[in-house]
Structures are given as structure tokens and as C-alpha cells.
Amino acid sequence: MTPRIFPLLSACLSGFLAYPVLAGVPDLLAGLNSDDLDARTKAEKTLFSEAAHAGRPGAEDERAAYSEALCEALREEPPPLTAHTLVRQLQSIGRAEAVRTLSQLLQHGDAHLGEAARMALTANPSPEAGNALVAALRQTTDPRMIKGILGALGVRGHPQAVPILRDALADPAFAETAAIA
């Protein structure tokens, strides 16, 4: 005898997991920018749920559109805490369409936001993200960012990583990072 709750639970969960995206990134920005902790938390939870829904397997068009909406919100230069929240979602669902926006954030005045952008580019599976990291390495003078990018190139197994890491091994400031990568 099978308990009747399992079919009901299964039906509820399948309906929950297939809900349509109700809000959008622009609608959530007011909550994400709010000083009210409850409003901010509600907006973050909605953003996380929507990003997860958009990034589900088989929904490439929806994922790309949501990723582009996140990028558009970042181009409006929200406060760093809000921007960090948006970048964390791009780390999960962003692909080639997010690379330009994330690359611009690498040199942001807020070091934490720049690091979040670097981590998002590291996790981004598109070849454009690896190329953006190589380009950023050639432009930055911040030792922490250089170390982070060297590690990211090693993790990604980027085709240009070997000569870059070999050159970094010759620099005492970056030799340990390059050896680990």
C-alpha cells in the first residue's frame, strides 16, 4: 500500500520547479537596493529562484535572456552590494553574453566586486571568458588580481595559460601562484 502523499508531493514539486518567471531583474532592483532587510532578502530569494529556473537544462534562450538582463542591471551601476548579488548569479548562469560586463567589473573600484567578477569569469565555460582573463592579465597592475587571474587560467586550462604561467614563474612575486596553477 503506497501512501497517498507521495503522488501529491510529486505533483506539487513538479509544479514548483516549472513555475514561470514572474518578476524580472529590473523589478527586483528596488528590493535589492533596499535598506529594509526583509525586502532585500525577499528580492534576493526571488532573484536566486528565477536565475536557477532560467538556468535549468533545456532553457538556453531563457538563460541567455536572464543573463543579459543581469548584465543590463549591472551596466546601470547599482550599489556594490547589489552588484555583487547580480554577479553571483552571472557566475551560475552567465556565458559569452556576460563576458563584456564581467570584464569591465574586474577593474571596479570595489576590490570585492572585482574579485567576484573574476570568479564569475573563471566559472564561465565560454572561450570568450578565458580570452577576457588573458586580456585583463595584460592590463592589470594589482598583484592580488594578477594572482587571481593566474589561478583562474590554470583552473580553466586555457590554451594560452602555459606560456603565461611559464613567464610568471620567472617573477618572484608570482612564482608560487604560477606553480600552483
Side-chain angles (χ1 to χ4, degrees), residues 6-172:
F6 291 119
L8 178 61
L9 181 62
S10 176
C12 289
L13 284 177
S14 67
F16 173 75
L17 295 175
Y19 73 93
V21 175
L22 300 175
V25 175
D27 298 332
L28 295 173
L29 284 178
L32 291 172
N33 292 328
S34 177
D35 290 332
D36 177 15
L37 185 59
D38 290 335
R40 180 169 181 76
T41 301
K42 182 179 178 182
E44 283 182 349
K45 286 181 179 181
T46 303
L47 178 71
F48 295 161
S49 295
E50 288 183 357
H53 180 73
R56 72 193 184 282
E60 180 59 24
D61 291 342
E62 192 173 336
R63 184 213 53 78
Y66 205 79
S67 178
E68 186 54 47
L70 292 170
C71 290
E72 181 60 35
L74 284 165
R75 286 190 284 272
E76 294 174 12
E77 298 183 13
L81 184 59
T82 299
H84 194 273
T85 301
L86 298 172
V87 169
R88 280 195 332 229
Q89 295 313 303
L90 282 177
Q91 183 173 347
S92 298
I93 67 167
R95 302 290 182 273
E97 71 282 342
V99 170
R100 191 177 110 239
T101 301
L102 292 170
S103 296
Q104 292 169 347
L105 290 173
L106 284 173
Q107 300 301 322
H108 193 274
D110 183 294
H112 296 291
L113 185 54
E115 177 62 12
R118 186 204 53 81
M119 291 189 314
L121 285 169
T122 302
N124 189 317
S126 72
E128 293 88 348
N131 295 336
L133 287 167
V134 169
L137 182 64
R138 293 184 176 133
Q139 294 174 355
T140 190
T141 58
D142 178 11
R144 290 179 296 176
M145 184 59 74
I146 291 171
K147 288 180 179 182
I149 293 172
L150 289 172
L153 292 173
V155 166
R156 289 180 58 88
H158 192 275
Q160 295 178 15
V162 173
I164 290 171
L165 293 172
R166 184 180 56 237
D167 293 344
L169 283 169
D171 187 336

